Amino acid sequence: MEGRAVVITNNSITTPNKITSSSRPSYRTPGSNVQRDMVDGNGIENSYHTQVNNKQRSPSATDIKNQGARLSDTKSNHRPSTYTEERSHTRTSYGPKRLSHYPTGSTSSLQSEGGQSSNSLSPSSSPAPSQNSVRGTPSPRHTPSPSRGFSASTSNLLAMKRFSGSQEAGSPAGTLSRRVTTGSLLNLHVRTASVLQPKHGTKEISLNSEEGTLKMYLRGRPVVMHIPSEVLQDYTLSKVNNAPLQRLRLEWVYGYRGRDCRSNLHLLPTGEMVYFVAAVVVLYNVDDQTQRHYLGHTDDVKCLAVHPNKLIIASGQVAGVDRRERRPHIRVWDSVSLNTLHVIGIGEFERSVCCVAFSKADGGSLLCAVDDSPEHTISVWEWHKGEKGHKITETKSSSDTVLAAEFHPMDRYALVTLGKGHIHFWGLECGTLVKKLGLFEKQDKPKYVLCMAFTDVGDLLTGDSNGNIIVWSRGSNRQTRTLYGAHEGPVFSLCVMKDGTFVSGGGKDRRIIEWDDSCTRTGREAKLPDASGGIRTLTQGKGSMLLVGTTKNCILQGTLMLNFSTVVQGHTEELWGLAVHPTQNQFLSGGYDGNVHLWDSMSHSVVWSKDIGEPVQSACFSPDGNIIVLATGTGRWMVMDSATRQLYNINSDINQIIDCIKFSPDGKLLAVGSHDNYLYIYQVQEDYKKYNRIGRCSFGIRRKDKERRWSCSEMGHSSFLTHFDWSENSTYVQTTSGDHELLFWNASICRQVTNMAVVRDITWETQTCTLGFNVLGVWPENADGSDINTCDRSHSKKLLVTGDDFGKVKLFVFPACQPKCLHHVYSGHSSHVTAVSFLPDDTRVISLGGRDCSIMQWSVC
């Protein structure tokens, strides 16, 4: 039978050019201040936002050395291939690259949008920013494309991905040079084509029925996928896969953003505490163990305010990369129905809304907002007028950082802002804001004024970086009293209680101290454990209870007389490690903060936590669930008991980041995928407690040296490994790499399998590789090879879930083997989704947000 070459180009459905970003970011060792910008030496303010604008890590000497070695191999080595058209390709190494943060992406008109509509508790349609832009986010899979511009985001979680001399694979020389295209994927037809040429940035698929292969180009590099024999005869490119009948619903959000945000924890009359993480505002009832979620935002939520009626909430977000479509704004919404009432300030704010506050003396008719622009513009709005509100006035506040803004509870037109080296008293006179500078005693002026609270008589209390609490009389801009040494280190929060007393929280000493109405210590205080972090915000809970948000992204509740208990646990650094228990509804998460948490998905609680002292990159359970293997950013991997946390083994024979690790289905072998481009195979003994290295997967290649003599060398992938899967019989492994290479190996002998007659019909135990016939349809139009960070197939082999650079979780029918596969799309993460996985019974999906430090649990319904 004569071979046919069929090519698809979808010209009818396009998305705007997105900003590309990069490889997996370099990890940070515990205690390192790389990528942290402290507002003072005591660690007063960990601001991701400042990282974005001021800090980009240059490649280390090790990075440059490793990258140079990869590029050297790239220039001198070629992949032996069964297909002659691929032999002209040289390898391109994709080393560490720069990290950036983007807003949530758009969805195609063919997709079933499942973001808000799939959740019965999500906000209704209301004025909102456009949903049609596409963003790129940090990913370990790609480098910036020279043909695309870069627009820096002002998101405070934005961090530019660091990169070192990576280059883009060019079009294959000497290969087929012409392609048949169709105008629409919904009106496909087959033509005979003689020559083919890849088109960069477009999803083009060519079918060779004689070879039984599909070829897709990513960043100009061909990816050859082999069609299984059972579907080869009837396979056609013109079919469109339907979206699955099942949908996802956001069930639970783990985490809290306290590391770099303040005044973002409140108690509502419904008994729910309200706070935010990523792009989700969470309403959590601790007693009933229920969560509701406001999903109206398109990027990181940065600030939060509760109306005096305790029912209406205002939340402000940051700007995305595409500022035309993802502009910062404030959303005013109903906490009972979760309906959006007003969208304020689109086009008015420059970077992000860093502070927001309702007026109090007039019943909350005014709204104050501070823009995190260089001049920190402050504006006052009549938020209830029209869908977009009415701006009364705005003025420049300060060139220094503004950390908080509040209306006076008794004076209708008075408000206060504070921040770096200043406190400003504002009056709204004839529609104009008039500023008075707060006057400090010379010896008392702090580097930062960090927090404030108003007493029952209208006096103002402020806490500062010197550890002092200053009292300002009502109507005065001069300090009237100073409580020296209230805390050892900065005072991060002040809260006036209903009985007239107030409490202060220390960011460094982790102490909560109670003061009476005469500003004298009552003698009651508490100290939080080191694992919880310093106090970020304090608010009154039910009765005499206190709610405490901490700098390590935890929320605790309790009283000064009794112990505080953790009700929300979170990670503080980027998340990559996810492992699901093989039989129980439990999963494990690990981050660059060195912390490992084992979670119970039914009770939504932490079973146990452990600080291993190293950044966690990947993890896995043994087939019986009794053993956990943790792989780190230093190349070490550790074996521990999943119940007792007893450490059995530490292996240090790999000296680079371990990106993926997994046991074979029969439990006899362990495979480890490293950043050094190799897959290592270990023999498992003594109930998963002892490991002997068999070898590393490679193939031999002949090349000439400088003296034109032939020599043989061993070579693995041409870039770092990203994913791999075992075959069901524990014999074969398929691997993918950072330069979009799909290879197959015989694990018992650590050699590449090039017989495609064997490979095409292998049944894989899992599907986490993002390249291959069964996941062909997950790649979007204009894909640059890094859009899809992670995927996982359900155990029933009916569903496929993916996580991408745009913070989206998508649900497909498995196999997604057509160029066009309809799917459902879900929002919530504000950073790149680094890992997704089904739980053992396929009733839930777990997703990790990289830099947003959140874990989201989705129910399949």
Side-chain angles (χ1 to χ4, degrees), residues 370-384:
V370 179
D371 182 11
D372 196 16
S373 62
E375 295 174 336
H376 296 93
T377 302
I378 180 173
S379 56
V380 178
W381 300 74
E382 292 177 314
W383 61 269
H384 52 86

Side-chain angles (χ1 to χ4, degrees), residues 559-636:
T559 66
L560 295 177
M561 302 300 294
L562 303 173
N563 292 331
F564 284 83
S565 60
T566 302
V567 293
V568 175
Q569 180 73 55
H571 284 276
T572 58
E573 297 282 352
E574 190 165 351
L575 290 177
W576 282 94
L578 174 64
V580 171
H581 195 285
T583 58
Q584 300 178 19
N585 288 313
Q586 296 180 345
F587 64 92
L588 180 134
S589 64
Y592 287 177
D593 56 7
N595 289 319
V596 178
H597 302 305
L598 180 65
W599 306 84
D600 186 284
S601 65
M602 304 305 291
S603 64
H604 311 118
S605 60
V606 177
V607 179
W608 54 255
S609 298
K610 185 178 180 63
D611 185 353
I612 68 169
E614 295 185 36
V616 180
Q617 189 72 43
S618 54
C620 70
F621 279 91
S622 61
D624 61 7
N626 294 330
I627 295 295
I628 295 171
V629 181
L630 302 172
T632 72
T634 62
R636 300 205 305 171

Side-chain angles (χ1 to χ4, degrees), residues 43 94 210 349 805 832 843 852:
Y94 294 78
E210 184 177 278
F349 302 109
D805 265 1
H832 53 302
T843 59
D852 65 30

Side-chain angles (χ1 to χ4, degrees), residues 442-656:
K442 185 175 182 181
Q443 69 275 14
D444 294 339
K445 185 173 182 179
K447 185 175 181 179
Y448 282 85
V449 185
L450 297 167
C451 59
M452 61 177 155
F454 291 94
T455 67
D456 293 340
V457 297
D459 291 343
L460 176 66
L461 306 173
T462 60
D464 59 43
S465 56
N466 293 335
N468 302 331
I469 297 175
I470 298 177
V471 183
W472 309 76
S473 296
R474 179 180 176 183
S476 172
N477 64 331
R478 291 181 177 272
Q479 65 183 85
T480 58
R481 183 180 178 184
T482 302
L483 307 178
Y484 293 101
H487 286 270
E488 296 179 10
V491 181
F492 269 173
S493 184
L494 293 167
C495 177
V496 176
M497 307 296 285
K498 294 177 181 177
D499 59 4
T501 63
F502 71 91
V503 290
S504 60
K508 182 179 180 181
D509 62 12
R510 309 190 308 278
R511 292 185 181 275
I512 303 172
I513 300 175
E514 185 181 60
W515 308 76
D516 61 22
D517 55 4
S518 62
C519 299
T520 303
R521 292 179 188 241
T522 65
R524 293 193 294 180
E525 63 178 69
K527 184 175 182 178
L528 300 185
D530 181 62
S532 298
I535 288 86
R536 173 63 72 186
T537 185
L538 296 168
T539 190
Q540 182 151 16
K542 294 181 180 179
S544 60
M545 299 277 283
L546 268 177
L547 300 179
V548 184
T550 75
T551 56
K552 289 191 176 180
N553 294 345
C554 299
I555 297 177
L556 298 89
Q557 71 173 6
T559 66
L560 295 177
M561 302 300 294
L562 303 173
N563 292 331
F564 284 83
S565 60
T566 302
V567 293
V568 175
Q569 180 73 55
H571 284 276
T572 58
E573 297 282 352
E574 190 165 351
L575 290 177
W576 282 94
L578 174 64
V580 171
H581 195 285
T583 58
Q584 300 178 19
N585 288 313
Q586 296 180 345
F587 64 92
L588 180 134
S589 64
Y592 287 177
D593 56 7
N595 289 319
V596 178
H597 302 305
L598 180 65
W599 306 84
D600 186 284
S601 65
M602 304 305 291
S603 64
H604 311 118
S605 60
V606 177
V607 179
W608 54 255
S609 298
K610 185 178 180 63
D611 185 353
I612 68 169
E614 295 185 36
V616 180
Q617 189 72 43
S618 54
C620 70
F621 279 91
S622 61
D624 61 7
N626 294 330
I627 295 295
I628 295 171
V629 181
L630 302 172
T632 72
T634 62
R636 300 205 305 171
W637 51 275
M638 310 173 184
V639 181
M640 69 170 61
D641 191 285
S642 63
T644 65
R645 286 165 281 172
Q646 180 182 351
L647 195 62
Y648 293 125
N649 193 308
I650 298 179
N651 191 298
S652 305
D653 62 347
I654 301 174
N655 57 12
Q656 291 200 33

Side-chain angles (χ1 to χ4, degrees), residues 41-344:
N42 295 321
I44 293 171
E45 177 73 11
N46 291 330
S47 173
Y48 288 112
H49 172 70
T50 310
Q51 299 169 19
V52 176
N53 297 304
N54 298 333
K55 298 206 174 194
Q56 287 191 22
R57 172 185 169 276
S58 301
S60 66
T62 304
D63 291 336
I64 297 171
K65 180 180 179 181
N66 293 338
Q67 184 68 11
R70 291 180 191 166
L71 292 177
S72 176
D73 287 342
T74 296
K75 295 175 182 178
S76 60
N77 296 321
H78 298 271
R79 165 73 63 201
S81 175
T82 307
Y83 301 92
T84 56
E85 65 269 27
E86 293 184 18
R87 290 179 183 168
S88 60
H89 287 272
T90 57
R91 297 181 161 203
T92 303
S93 175
Y94 294 78
K97 299 153 195 162
R98 65 182 179 184
L99 172 68
S100 58
H101 181 76
Y102 302 81
T104 44
S106 65
T107 57
S108 166
S109 59
L110 286 178
Q111 299 168 0
S112 299
E113 179 63 55
Q116 297 181 12
S117 61
S118 66
N119 190 335
S120 61
L121 297 177
S122 61
S124 63
S125 285
S126 58
S130 169
Q131 300 288 329
N132 297 326
S133 71
V134 175
R135 73 168 183 178
T137 52
S139 162
R141 321 297 183 222
H142 63 291
T143 51
S145 170
S147 63
R148 297 175 183 171
F150 177 79
S151 174
S153 167
T154 55
S155 163
N156 67 319
L157 278 182
L158 166 64
M160 310 292 284
K161 262 207 170 176
R162 305 170 296 279
F163 65 96
S164 60
S166 56
Q167 59 187 22
E168 183 176 346
S171 299
T175 58
L176 303 177
S177 61
R178 201 171 57 206
R179 229 168 239 281
V180 176
T181 62
T182 60
S184 170
L185 283 175
L186 297 179
N187 184 26
L188 302 176
H189 60 279
V190 177
R191 295 182 182 176
T192 302
S194 57
V195 280
L196 305 173
Q197 180 176 350
K199 182 179 179 182
H200 176 73
T202 306
K203 180 179 177 181
E204 300 183 6
I205 311 295
S206 61
L207 169 64
N208 188 321
S209 57
E210 184 177 278
E211 297 277 356
T213 61
L214 294 170
K215 184 182 291 186
M216 176 175 70
Y217 286 87
L218 294 174
R219 292 180 66 86
R221 179 173 189 142
V223 180
V224 177
M225 293 160 282
H226 301 271
I227 305 173
S229 301
E230 61 182 6
V231 300
L232 176 59
Q233 184 174 355
D234 299 325
Y235 184 79
T236 174
L237 290 171
S238 60
K239 181 181 177 182
V240 177
N241 271 18
N242 292 324
L245 297 177
Q246 298 91 336
R247 291 176 178 268
L248 299 182
R249 181 180 63 84
L250 184 58
E251 180 179 271
W252 205 266
V253 178
Y254 303 89
Y256 157 74
R257 186 168 177 175
R259 181 180 174 186
D260 64 336
C261 291
R262 60 193 69 241
S263 301
N264 60 349
L265 177 63
H266 303 273
L267 182 70
L268 301 179
T270 58
E272 298 167 307
M273 61 175 69
V274 57
Y275 57 93
F276 57 78
V277 61
V280 181
V281 183
V282 181
L283 297 94
Y284 176 28
N285 191 311
V286 178
D287 295 336
D288 297 340
Q289 280 298 296
T290 58
Q291 276 190 1
R292 297 186 297 143
H293 310 102
Y294 178 73
L295 300 173
H297 285 282
T298 58
D299 212 304
D300 288 287
V301 182
K302 187 69 182 294
C303 56
L304 187 71
V306 178
H307 192 273
N309 66 12
K310 302 295 183 180
L311 297 176
I312 295 174
I313 295 175
S315 47
Q317 76 166 60
V318 303
V321 171
D322 188 347
R323 298 192 187 184
R324 295 171 301 174
E325 304 296 339
R326 296 290 181 267
R327 290 173 287 187
H329 62 275
I330 301 168
R331 303 183 78 86
V332 181
W333 48 280
D334 189 313
S335 64
V336 176
S337 66
L338 299 183
N339 290 333
T340 302
L341 305 176
H342 307 273
V343 179
I344 297 173

